[in-house]
Amino acid sequence: RSLDDPETHRLARALRRGLTDKVEAWGKTYRCTKRTAGKDDDDCCDIVQVWNFAVLNVRYVPDPNEFDLFCTVRHTLEAGVGDCDDMTILQGALLKSLGFRDVRARVISVNGKRWAHVYVMVSA
């Protein structure tokens, strides 16, 4: 659903431009890092921009017991909190919006029976 929202794509492009340390989306202002001049075409810089944006704007909070919520980019940013799957959705949607094709979610388990963590993977 996040990739169907045009505002997700506008946010990703604003992060890529990185003209200031703030960016607007869905009528709210969020923190970001300013891009270094001359690095605009560097895939690794795009990945770092997305990572920094997520870390600056979303605090890790686990889902309530017995619930597993999967939030859109908009909902996660508006709440300012999320767990690992919310961060994966946030980062993955922004990276796909920037044109990265090989964006995946890696799910890991501790005991081999139940998944315990998920994170985004991307090829630059």
Side-chain angles (χ1 to χ4, degrees):
R1 292 185 348 185
S2 294
L3 287 172
D4 291 334
D5 187 338
E7 192 69 6
T8 299
H9 298 278
R10 282 192 284 277
L11 172 59
R13 288 190 303 271
L15 291 173
R16 174 175 274 161
R17 284 189 304 274
L19 301 175
T20 68
D21 61 352
K22 294 179 182 152
V23 66
E24 290 193 20
W26 296 284
K28 294 181 83 178
T29 302
Y30 299 98
R31 299 181 316 176
C32 64
T33 52
K34 193 172 176 181
R35 291 288 290 251
T36 305
K39 297 274 188 176
D40 292 339
D41 295 329
D42 188 333
D43 285 347
C44 289
C45 287
D46 285 341
I47 295 167
V48 169
Q49 275 298 90
V50 168
W51 172 266
N52 288 343
F53 177 76
V55 170
L56 285 169
N57 293 287
V58 180
R59 182 173 50 94
Y60 179 84
V61 173
D63 286 334
N65 287 337
E66 304 303 321
F67 288 96
D68 199 6
L69 306 172
F70 298 90
C71 298
T72 62
V73 170
R74 179 179 185 169
H75 185 270
T76 299
L77 289 174
E78 287 178 347
V81 298
D83 66 356
C84 57
D85 50 57
D86 301 319
M87 289 294 269
T88 299
I89 292 166
L90 170 70
Q91 294 171 352
L94 291 172
L95 291 166
K96 287 192 80 69
S97 292
L98 289 174
F100 288 91
R101 292 184 181 167
D102 190 14
V103 179
R104 301 168 187 225
R106 169 74 50 99
V107 179
I108 61 172
S109 68
V110 176
N111 60 12
K113 295 180 182 176
R114 184 176 167 188
W115 70 287
H117 185 59
V118 62
Y119 57 91
V120 70
M121 294 176 56
V122 61
S123 296

